[in-house]
Amino acid sequence: MAKQKKKAPKVKIEWLNHVLGFAGVVLGVLIAFWLNNWAGNRREQQIAEVALKNIRSEVARNQSAMDTLVQVNARQLSFLDAYLPLVDDDMTFLGSSSQFDSLQAQFPDLLLARGRLDIEIELLGLPEVAWKTSLNSSILSSIDFNLLYAINESYDLQEKVAGIDNLLISDLRNIGNGRKNDFHSFQRTLGTYMQLSEQLLLEKYPRCLKEIDLFLADGNRDTDALVLDTIK
């Protein structure tokens, strides 16, 4: 009598469970990767924000110092503009006594007795430590281009203003010779210095500060939105 072969028991594979389990593992890995990437980006953003706050503080201090510089130097330039047309090549005053008295009353600290002049100008070494540090370390490589451009414009013009300091010092030495041409040279250099300083004070610095404030405000709003989404 022939033996009947035993049928192998059917094995039921729970494919749905396997698929769901695999999908869960993949999703978990993706979420972990996203969180890690987000955390890295967030750290970079926080570092950039700190750097921008330092730059903003530096620019604000330089703006305040530049305001003083412009006021002092503008007054000196106004005096030279009024006084030099009234003297000869040897700086001898050719105007009337009333003109001299009027100028002396207006500029008592610059036009002294017997036509002696006192030159007062401000030469400020404006710092750029925060900007150079951030630039050299590529901290700001991920920020908005327009913001980076505005900051760079401010510091670039600031360097140009600082570069004229040496010319002014040289001209100051030359006016000791008591020649009108030397005073004219100093007057022209100071005029250029003033034009660049006023552009920096009235245009570049305000734009730079505005762009930084807008960027930091947008960053704070993005962070607040992310916190709210997490709570939900």
Side-chain angles (χ1 to χ4, degrees):
M1 186 176 178
K3 294 183 179 179
Q4 291 183 346
K5 294 182 178 180
K6 293 183 179 180
K7 294 182 179 180
K10 292 182 178 180
V11 178
K12 185 178 180 180
I13 301 176
E14 301 290 343
W15 291 107
L16 181 59
N17 290 338
H18 283 286
V19 171
L20 290 177
F22 178 76
V25 172
V26 172
L27 184 60
V29 171
L30 290 176
I31 291 175
F33 177 78
W34 177 85
L35 287 174
N36 184 61
N37 188 54
W38 174 83
N41 291 337
R42 181 59 187 149
R43 280 194 297 271
E44 290 181 1
Q45 182 182 353
Q46 289 174 337
I47 293 173
E49 287 177 357
V50 171
L52 284 173
K53 289 177 181 177
N54 289 336
I55 291 173
R56 193 200 184 288
S57 177
E58 185 171 77
V59 170
R61 288 196 300 269
N62 289 349
Q63 184 183 44
S64 179
M66 183 62 72
D67 185 50
T68 301
L69 179 147
V70 166
Q71 291 182 44
V72 172
N73 293 344
R75 188 166 181 274
Q76 178 65 71
L77 187 60
S78 296
F79 168 69
L80 292 175
D81 290 342
Y83 186 76
L84 290 181
L86 300 176
V87 299
D88 63 13
D89 291 341
D90 295 321
M91 294 299 292
T92 301
F93 191 78
L94 301 177
S96 64
S97 58
S98 61
Q99 287 177 311
F100 185 89
D101 292 340
S102 176
L103 284 173
Q104 194 171 43
Q106 188 177 357
F107 304 99
D109 53 330
L110 301 180
L111 180 56
L112 308 179
R114 299 178 182 178
R116 189 164 59 88
L117 307 183
D118 188 12
I119 303 299
E120 294 182 4
I121 60 171
E122 285 282 342
L123 299 177
L124 298 176
L126 300 175
E128 51 184 27
V129 176
W131 167 239
K132 289 296 185 182
T133 301
S134 301
L135 196 62
N136 293 336
S137 61
S138 301
I139 293 175
L140 304 179
S141 59
S142 61
I143 70 171
D144 180 72
F145 174 78
N146 290 330
L147 171 57
L148 194 59
Y149 186 79
I151 298 173
N152 184 70
E153 267 195 327
S154 295
Y155 280 96
D156 184 56
L157 184 55
Q158 181 176 298
E159 286 187 2
K160 290 179 180 178
V161 172
I164 303 178
D165 285 355
N166 292 332
L167 291 176
L168 283 172
I169 292 172
S170 177
D171 288 342
L172 278 173
R173 293 194 184 103
N174 291 334
I175 62 177
N177 298 324
R179 302 293 295 175
K180 186 175 181 177
N181 285 340
D182 295 326
F183 276 89
H184 269 312
S185 178
F186 173 75
Q187 180 188 26
R188 288 191 296 269
T189 304
L190 184 58
T192 301
Y193 193 70
M194 285 299 303
Q195 288 178 354
L196 296 180
S197 296
E198 288 177 348
Q199 183 183 3
L200 185 59
L201 177 65
L202 302 177
E203 180 185 341
K204 301 303 181 182
Y205 280 158
R207 182 190 171 194
C208 178
L209 293 174
K210 179 182 177 181
E211 292 292 338
I212 292 176
D213 288 341
L214 288 174
F215 183 86
L216 292 176
D218 287 341
N220 290 334
R221 281 197 291 270
D222 291 343
T223 302
D224 292 341
L226 181 60
V227 172
L228 289 175
D229 289 341
T230 303
I231 295 175
K232 291 178 182 179

